[in-house]
C-alpha cells in the first residue's frame, strides 16, 4: 500500500481536498488558517466531520468535538492523526 501524498503543510492531499470541498473559495491553507473566518460554521463542521470519519475510517471521540478542534487545519489534522493511530482522545494538552 502506497503512503498518501503529503502537502507542504504536512497533511495528506485527501485532507486538503476535503477541506476545500467543504470550504470552497478558501485561499492557501496553512496550519494556522482560521477556518471559522474561512466560512466554517456548525453545518459545515458536521459535513467535515462525517467526511473525515468516512475518508479515514476513523471515529473521532465526542470529547474532542469542540470549536477549538475545528479552529485551524493544523489542529484538526492533529486530531485526525491521533484518531488514525488509535489515540483520538489523547489531546496532549
Amino acid at each position: 500500500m502506497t503512503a498518501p501524498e503529503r502537502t507542504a503543510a504536512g497533511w495528506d492531499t485527501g485532507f486538503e481536498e476535503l477541506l476545500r470541498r467543504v470550504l470552497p473559495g478558501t485561499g492557501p491553507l496553512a496550519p494556522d488558517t482560521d477556518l471559522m473566518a474561512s466560512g466554517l460554521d456548525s453545518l459545515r463542521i458536521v459535513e467535515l466531520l462525517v467526511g473525515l470519519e468516512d475518508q479515514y475510517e476513523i471515529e473521532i471521540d465526542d470529547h474532542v468535538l469542540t470549536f477549538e478542534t475545528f479552529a485551524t487545519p493544523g489542529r484538526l489534522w492533529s486530531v485526525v492523526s491521533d484518531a488514525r493511530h488509535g489515540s483520538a482522545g489523547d489531546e496532549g494538552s
Side-chain angles (χ1 to χ4, degrees), residues 49 59-70 75-76 79-80 82-83 87-92:
L49 175 63
E59 186 172 326
I60 298 175
D61 288 340
D62 289 346
H63 75 277
V64 296
L65 296 179
T66 65
F67 283 110
E68 180 181 285
T69 296
F70 292 89
R75 178 67 185 123
L76 184 56
V79 170
V80 169
D82 287 349
S87 58
D90 298 338
E91 291 187 63

Side-chain angles (χ1 to χ4, degrees), residues 1 18 21 23 31 37 48 72 77 84 86 89 93:
M1 177 181 230
L18 180 58
R21 211 168 35 246
L23 296 170
L48 185 55
T72 67
W77 179 248
R84 292 175 73 193
S93 45

Side-chain angles (χ1 to χ4, degrees), residues 18-74:
L18 180 58
L19 278 175
R20 292 193 179 283
R21 211 168 35 246
V22 172
L23 296 170
T26 301
L29 287 172
D32 62 349
T33 298
D34 184 337
L35 293 178
M36 300 302 171
S38 298
L40 190 65
D41 58 20
S42 57
L43 292 176
R44 288 184 173 157
I45 285 174
V46 171
E47 180 181 352
L48 185 55
L49 175 63
V50 169
L52 290 168
E53 289 186 336
D54 287 347
Q55 181 167 316
Y56 294 104
E57 299 178 347
I58 58 173
E59 186 172 326
I60 298 175
D61 288 340
D62 289 346
H63 75 277
V64 296
L65 296 179
T66 65
F67 283 110
E68 180 181 285
T69 296
F70 292 89
T72 67

